[in-house]
Amino acid sequence: MSEKKYIYTFKEGNKDMKNILGGKGANLAEMTKLGLAIPQGFTITCQACLDYFKDPVGFIEKIRTNIMDNIKGMEVESGKTFGADKNALLISIRSGAPMSMPGMMDTVLNLGLNDKAVVGLAEETQNERFAQDAYRRFIQMFGDVVMGVKLEHFERILDAHKKVKGENTQDTDLTIDDLKKIIEEYKILYKKEIGNDFPQKPIDQLFFAIRAVFDSWNTRRAVTYRKMNKIPDFGTAVNVQLMVFGNKGWDSGTGVAFTRDPSTGEKKKFGEYLSNAQGEDVVAGIRTPKKIEEMKDEFPNIYKELMETMENLEKHYRDMQDIEFTIENRKLYILQTRNGKRTPQASVKIAVDRFKEGLITKEEAIMSVDPNIVSNLLFESIDEKKADFSKFLAQGLNASPGAVFGKVIFEADDIVELEKEGDLDIILVRPQTKPDDVHGLFAAKGVLTQFGGKTSHAAVVARGMGKPAVVGAQIIEIDVDNKKFTVKDKVIKEGDFITIDGTTGKVFEGKMPLIEPELTSEFQELLSYADEIRKIGVRANADTPEDARKAIEFGAQGIGLCRTEHMFMDVFRLPTVQKMILAKTDEERQEALDKILPMQKGDFYQIFKIMAGKPVTIRLLDPPLHEFLPELETILLEHQELKLTNGPKEEIKDREKLIAKIRSISEENPMLGLRGCRLGITWPQINEMQIKAIFQAACDLKKEGVDARVEVMIPLIGMVSELTHVKNDLVKIAKEVIDSYNIELDYLFGTMIEVPRAALTAGEIAKEAEFFSFGTNDLTQMTYGFSRDDAEGKFIPIYLQEEIMKENPFEILDQEGVGKLMKMAIELGRKANPNLKLGICGEHGGEPSSVIFAHDIGLDYVSCSPFRIPVARLAAAQAAILEKKKSM
Amino acid sequence: MSEKKYIYTFKEGNKDMKNILGGKGANLAEMTKLGLAIPQGFTITCQACLDYFKDPVGFIEKIRTNIMDNIKGMEVESGKTFGADKNALLISIRSGAPMSMPGMMDTVLNLGLNDKAVVGLAEETQNERFAQDAYRRFIQMFGDVVMGVKLEHFERILDAHKKVKGENTQDTDLTIDDLKKIIEEYKILYKKEIGNDFPQKPIDQLFFAIRAVFDSWNTRRAVTYRKMNKIPDFGTAVNVQLMVFGNKGWDSGTGVAFTRDPSTGEKKKFGEYLSNAQGEDVVAGIRTPKKIEEMKDEFPNIYKELMETMENLEKHYRDMQDIEFTIENRKLYILQTRNGKRTPQASVKIAVDRFKEGLITKEEAIMSVDPNIVSNLLFESIDEKKADFSKFLAQGLNASPGAVFGKVIFEADDIVELEKEGDLDIILVRPQTKPDDVHGLFAAKGVLTQFGGKTSHAAVVARGMGKPAVVGAQIIEIDVDNKKFTVKDKVIKEGDFITIDGTTGKVFEGKMPLIEPELTSEFQELLSYADEIRKIGVRANADTPEDARKAIEFGAQGIGLCRTEHMFMDVFRLPTVQKMILAKTDEERQEALDKILPMQKGDFYQIFKIMAGKPVTIRLLDPPLHEFLPELETILLEHQELKLTNGPKEEIKDREKLIAKIRSISEENPMLGLRGCRLGITWPQINEMQIKAIFQAACDLKKEGVDARVEVMIPLIGMVSELTHVKNDLVKIAKEVIDSYNIELDYLFGTMIEVPRAALTAGEIAKEAEFFSFGTNDLTQMTYGFSRDDAEGKFIPIYLQEEIMKENPFEILDQEGVGKLMKMAIELGRKANPNLKLGICGEHGGEPSSVIFAHDIGLDYVSCSPFRIPVARLAAAQAAILEKKKSM
């Protein structure tokens, strides 16, 4: 039985040893292997951490000699001595698990300092202030991070000293004497809190720190995080590394650099540095950092070395790198390299450039771009560099992305008036929106509501139109009567400008500076790579001809969800729709439906024409009918007012009838009520009208030589008997229409899978359906048993905060629960009907991790709102690449 | 390859050949085998039907000779000749599949008659009217059933002839001449509709009829029914049987008889007969039938034979029999025997008696009683014999069983006043009930509401109290202001008597005669047999000490669901509860909770004490909080009225605050909103108070030497993280309470499984739960995606009518969908935690088929409302018996 190897020097490891050395340790070893100047040191393995927990005291004793041997090695290499008064070896201690994890011990710097070594350091650097400050920081960091003394205790001491010196004193204004006094007070605090003196022996400091890193692996927060993220209990490594200082004098310095411009993606090194400074000084912003190019004059050799290093690192890591470096006495040290953060624009440009430069493959180019951010390229956004964020007014829900500014207007009708006058910069602000407001939404640039969730009427309509929307900003109080809204004591009147950012849900006063979106040629090119690679189709959720046009523009291969309810909500049609609902006789109802038919037919005609040759999945009417009627509350209050004020008898009677009707069709839980196919079963005339409109439109086009590809989708099926009941009648009508044109027309009939029972009995349903489309919005609601509107407003924020949920399941598909139902449905469905086509048309269809899941479980396509199509195309390609990797 | 046997005479089969001969054929064969006088004949097998469909014409030709050989056999046996003019062999043709199935061809009688044979029959019977009427009926039946001529065409002819003779003419008033004219017109109708003359050749009649039976197997209705009921396509048999006539003269007759009294269960033959009559005459009620005992004088030998036959049949079929017999020329024929229908009382008495007489086993006694009906033994019911059903007023939902009459009162407060005056016969009638009305419900004998479903407040509370309730009787229009309600043009004023029947949902004017319930000694005895046999436990859903007492009385082994919300709804507590909800600060809220704690503790104390030694599962607060607040609509209208009438500013302000609060906690879909554990997570103080109350009560009892067995149940879990979050805090508090008493107390923490996601991830949840209790009400709602309140009022009736659903899944557990989730949860749960206890506490826990399902999937217990406990005990025993049979 060979002894386990618990310690590796940086020279012994490489990047593939993450499970042994942790991420940080493996990376330090890798860079050492590349021959870069890395402050040397060693890594105590993850296995050591696990063995430590079995017998903490015994284990530390067991590896003590081993650790000290490695410290010796660092002494030899650096020519410094650990624990010496002069030329002391100073080290940093850092945790590093195989996966990045919050809740673990961070960093202790300057370990090795004590009352004597600080004097030595001052002499060596000729900079006593630097030395004393380093010591102060060490005590604070050690006390806080290693021993658990609350940081605020230290800060209270520091603040007290600063206050004495005046209002705006900075850390840097503290003198050597101040620092010495602070150090003394820190030590007293330490003793009071811990019971012992601050340890003067570096060897004690070292072992305290190592144990603290190990212990941090099992803090409650870390354990919870692992449990939630299903991270195995593989322990954390400990990295012990030589300190280097960029503030040892004017032949020292520190900086950060990117191998390409992180803002534009341009192929040009980009960075900043400061001489005689350490990292914090750059952040503090007291001295203005110099551009990296200036190093050419100041440190010509080092500049050359740095440039070469960066080139090599980018090649080696196959991505743009963000590098931290320090120059200590004219020697360059690389402290860290990582894939550089970049703007969405840069991300795309870098990926395409690097592929063209032959540095990476197409697959790598695709994998290097985060699909989550590319949708931002399609919307206006707030220019963060120029923006004045003190104008912040309120946080709402980010219901439809994009930023926009405009004048606040409270009534839809007023907007239409203003539009006629040519005033287009308008934001509709409402407590909530109703179908009646749609014409205002059409004319406005964006919408802000006080109430409602991401599936509220305003949100859905705005997303459909691609207009920014912030909803449920409950902190604003809207007073429609007096045409103003207030946020705490701030008043915004009608006509005042505000900016809403539907991407973040933020609302600002006035006009914020915006960045125009740009669909660059690189972006188009990247998406063309994605299309070559991806296996899963991408369709759009599109309800109108405008949507369909956008869908085509963004590369949709069809429409996966055409909701017909918005066709009913149109301001000119709504009165007829209401007449249809309120009809007293079948004849009256049919009369109204006969009027609606040509309107719907016209919509379908346009959509089919735009999508010629591509499938269009039309969902029959889904929402509960009371959504088309005025709100009960309004009518009740009107009714009472008329009565109390002796209003016209006729009007009172009208209200009474309307109240009775609304009551008779309103529901306790509309989400679980008379909607979807249930509507079609109880009010079959509506479905029949829709089928006629669809097939007449398709047949007209066919006659004109346009290939309309119809897919009819029946919503909210829970039992196969519902589907057969509805389908049998509709297929008959479809056939009648087609026969009356004397042509042939292929079409499909299918169903949404959005009710848990549909997934559970998918085998039966698949025998009657030609396709399934997973409606993951409803499926999520019913699987979790909570309504999106209520949950997002009320308890999901608390769940996220308390870490009961990792993510909002309406944004990121819940693979464990909802996904399990989907897998079950796919398996049962395909078994019963091998030709079954499978798609997803919930909003998850445009969310990257969900698109990858959709690929993995074998769907044929995803469908998402037009603006998410590029996201889906990219994510779909990533899914194909990931699958290939897994199978390798 | 031996030729298939397509035809069996009645002498060749037996009751175990149902799959070959169909149910009817096998039963006729069995009775023949028993040596009973059965009109003989033969059965064409189910297989013949299937082979017929492969080649209809060819197949009929193939078996023609075979059929005719068997007809020959009947001729030999009967001494009659098929197709002869005199002494013609007349036969009946009936379908008979292995399982009883609607939609199939019924019966053709008198086949073999034609223009000549009818004359022969008249001569033979000396009864021309009889013969002509038999011929008329045959043409009509053949035309309708075999050839598909619409029955109404025949009836129109018949009616016209009757009309000529005056207003109230009966069929029996038609003379021989009338009948002859009708026959002629029937023949003309037949030719017009079918294109050919009515077939005069009996052989043609026979083959038409056989084919019609076969064809009826594949009618759309039959196919749909098979599909829905998962009946295999095994074809139907055809039974060809000799006709016998009880109306051939005064030495003939017909009758029905039961082997025991079907009304009381007494061991005494019971029946009626008529001489010179056929079955229809008994039904027509023109002649009064004689008691079976009178046969002793009229037909002494036959009476003896009949009595012996009945004795034997009861023994042979091991159940009370209902027999049809005919006497033709002093010869007794048994036409049918079947298990006799009986009243619930009789059912129980017969089962116990027969066991005691040694005729059947305990298991058979249990299997012979339908659990669905025994619950009626525990409630008053309308005496159907004495009732005047013309008093019917309205049909509502049968929300809580039992019939009761009382004076109509519209306001809860008025009832309390009347109660003080000693007036107890009161029915509370409300548009809907709210928590404010509970005190009225306590005092009333029953409740009737215009709106609301079976889970509405009134329904739940009434069921809990065991009081009859009819809810959602939408046809009644209540005018609370004017203290009256109307049904169409009928007006019922306050103080008028009505009768409500919560078992059927019917409402009647005035006092209907009622039958008192009786928990007979036989019933007790039968249940004791059930307890010996059943394997699954039976607990009660009980919220109050009264419920708990009832539960014990009916044999509950514990409480499976104690809902705590009703403890909050108590009229004296509600104001405090509202204060708690409306509290502006945590302190205010805590203050209110501190007041509620001792009240809840008192309830728990009583319940634990009553249930000493038996487990009590307490569910923490579940419903959304706005259920405890006044209705928004009411407050809004009050507010507007105050404003319009310049009411006190203070009151207007109060309303405004209340409106804001109600709005802030009201929800779009309360069923899917902030309730269950979500409430406990966002408002942890409520849970904490409840845990304190529970454990203080239990500890107090423990100190007094009473064994309180606490099980705490957390509702609406969808993610294991919810459970751990809630549980960890509560276990800590429970421990604190117990420690403060310085005693030991065992308890369990578990969860409801009522959200689909909980079932899907039950493996994770089981690691954190000591028991699962399936809340099948919510689980059904979420699995189907419809809310019970909305669905039962709006579309479930249509679904049932259109046969989209076989049964209401809120009454009969949906085994295919909801049951699949349950099975999944059990499998995952038991695998992760083998000690997991499993139960069901939805209303299905008291529904027999669901209890059997619960047994089959391996639950440890079912829990149901106290009055359903006897049902559950019986059904549980049946489940155990069925399982044993299956494994044999």
Side-chain angles (χ1 to χ4, degrees), chain A residues 309-321:
Chain A
T309 302
M310 285 170 77
E311 206 76 36
N312 289 337
L313 281 171
E314 202 194 85
K315 261 187 207 146
H316 185 74
Y317 284 99
R318 305 185 80 83
D319 199 357
M320 186 265 261
Q321 295 296 298

Side-chain angles (χ1 to χ4, degrees), chain A residues 227 632-633 636-637 640-641 644 663-674 677-678 681-682 719 721-722 725 728 755-757 760-761 764 768 782-787 789-790 794-795 798-799 802 804-805 814 816-817 820-821 824 828, chain B residues 220 227 632-633 636-637 640-641 644 663-674 677-678 681-682 719 721-722 725 755-757 760-761 764 768 782-787 789-790 794-795 798-799 802 804-805 814 816-817 820-821 824 828:
Chain A
K227 213 166 177 177
L632 178 60
E633 198 178 300
L636 274 172
L637 290 173
Q640 191 189 35
E641 185 169 355
L644 290 172
R663 273 204 209 285
S664 80
I665 68 169
S666 66
E667 299 172 301
E668 296 284 322
N669 296 282
M671 193 71 73
L672 302 177
L674 187 56
C677 68
R678 300 160 198 167
I681 289 169
T682 45
M719 293 166 274
S721 49
E722 291 176 312
H725 184 97
N728 288 347
V755 169
R757 200 178 183 286
L760 292 164
T761 61
E764 296 301 309
E768 296 287 336
M782 293 174 191
T783 304
Y784 274 92
F786 45 61
S787 111
D789 273 346
D790 300 316
K794 293 219 164 68
F795 50 90
I798 296 170
Y799 272 42
E802 298 278 334
I804 295 169
M805 269 177 182
D814 161 46
E816 204 180 346
K820 195 170 191 176
L821 274 179
M824 202 185 290
L828 294 170
Chain B
R220 188 172 165 185
K227 214 165 178 177
L632 178 61
E633 197 177 299
L636 274 171
L637 291 174
Q640 192 190 34
E641 183 168 357
L644 289 172
R663 272 205 210 285
S664 81
I665 67 169
S666 66
E667 299 173 300
E668 297 283 322
N669 296 282
M671 194 70 74
L672 302 177
L674 186 56
C677 69
R678 300 160 197 166
I681 289 169
T682 45
M719 292 166 275
S721 50
E722 292 175 311
H725 185 95
V755 169
R757 199 179 184 285
L760 293 164
T761 61
E764 297 301 310
E768 297 287 336
M782 293 174 191
T783 304
Y784 274 92
F786 45 61
S787 110
D789 272 347
D790 300 317
K794 294 220 162 67
F795 51 88
I798 296 170
Y799 272 42
E802 298 278 334
I804 294 170
M805 269 177 182
D814 161 45
E816 204 181 346
K820 196 171 190 174
L821 274 178
M824 203 184 289
L828 295 169

Side-chain angles (χ1 to χ4, degrees), chain B residues 247-451:
Chain B
N247 51 352
K248 269 195 175 172
W250 293 104
D251 61 350
S252 300
T254 193
V256 295
F258 291 82
T259 58
R260 296 179 190 237
D261 188 323
S263 153
T264 63
E266 228 183 319
K267 194 183 173 179
K268 193 186 125 194
K269 309 277 181 298
F270 175 94
E272 293 174 333
Y273 78 105
L274 270 177
S275 322
N276 195 11
Q278 56 185 6
E280 289 169 4
D281 298 330
V282 183
V283 179
I286 295 162
R287 288 161 57 192
T288 307
K290 300 178 228 176
K291 286 199 176 156
I292 204 81
E293 292 88 338
E294 296 178 40
M295 266 178 80
K296 216 188 270 183
D297 300 325
E298 198 173 354
F299 300 99
N301 293 337
I302 289 178
Y303 178 72
K304 206 174 145 233
E305 188 186 346
L306 180 65
M307 290 302 112
E308 280 169 18
T309 302
M310 285 170 79
E311 205 76 37
N312 290 336
L313 280 170
E314 202 196 86
K315 260 187 207 145
H316 185 74
Y317 283 98
R318 306 185 79 82
D319 198 356
M320 187 265 263
Q321 296 295 298
D322 166 3
I323 289 158
E324 286 177 25
F325 63 90
T326 286
I327 306 165
E328 189 184 65
N329 305 340
R330 296 210 169 264
K331 180 159 171 47
L332 174 70
Y333 291 95
I334 305 295
L335 297 185
Q336 174 151 294
T337 186
R338 56 187 167 193
N339 295 346
K341 286 218 163 54
R342 61 207 85 176
T343 63
Q345 287 85 345
S347 175
V348 169
K349 182 169 170 47
I350 289 170
V352 173
D353 282 355
R354 286 177 49 80
F355 166 67
K356 288 189 174 163
E357 292 163 25
L359 292 172
I360 52 172
T361 63
K362 254 181 204 176
E363 281 78 7
E364 284 173 308
I366 284 167
M367 293 307 289
S368 75
V369 178
D370 178 358
N372 280 306
I373 59 159
V374 301
S375 70
N376 292 331
L377 298 176
L378 306 172
F379 300 106
E380 280 190 298
S381 57
I382 290 176
D383 186 341
E384 302 213 348
K385 283 189 189 145
K386 297 183 197 153
D388 172 4
F389 286 106
S390 71
K391 298 285 187 181
F392 176 77
L393 266 184
Q395 178 73 50
L397 299 169
N398 51 340
S400 179
V404 71
F405 52 72
K407 284 180 203 150
V408 169
I409 302 290
F410 296 97
E411 297 282 1
D413 291 338
D414 295 345
I415 296 182
V416 176
E417 281 312 303
L418 286 166
E419 191 192 15
K420 282 184 197 152
E421 292 163 22
D423 195 341
L424 295 170
D425 283 351
I426 289 161
I427 309 255
L428 175 62
V429 179
R430 296 283 306 160
Q432 59 266 316
T433 69
K434 285 278 298 170
D436 297 2
D437 300 323
V438 172
H439 57 303
L441 248 167
F442 261 110
K445 283 173 77 180
V447 62
L448 166 65
T449 74
Q450 184 177 357
F451 301 107

Side-chain angles (χ1 to χ4, degrees), chain A residues 50-88:
Chain A
L50 297 179
D51 290 351
Y52 163 80
F53 282 118
K54 290 178 198 151
D55 171 17
V57 177
F59 184 77
I60 290 292
E61 281 320 303
K62 190 174 157 192
I63 61 164
R64 179 178 286 271
T65 319
N66 196 346
I67 289 171
M68 292 319 295
D69 286 350
N70 276 281
I71 292 285
K72 189 76 59 185
M74 288 176 74
E75 289 178 346
V76 171
E77 188 140 15
S78 63
K80 294 166 187 279
T81 309
F82 191 59
D85 296 348
K86 293 194 174 176
N87 197 23

Side-chain angles (χ1 to χ4, degrees), chain B residues 567 572-573 576 594-604 693:
Chain B
M567 298 180 182
F572 298 108
R573 301 178 186 178
T576 316
D594 290 345
K595 273 189 204 149
I596 302 170
L597 188 143
M599 304 173 187
Q600 287 229 328
K601 181 180 161 184
D603 293 331
F604 291 132

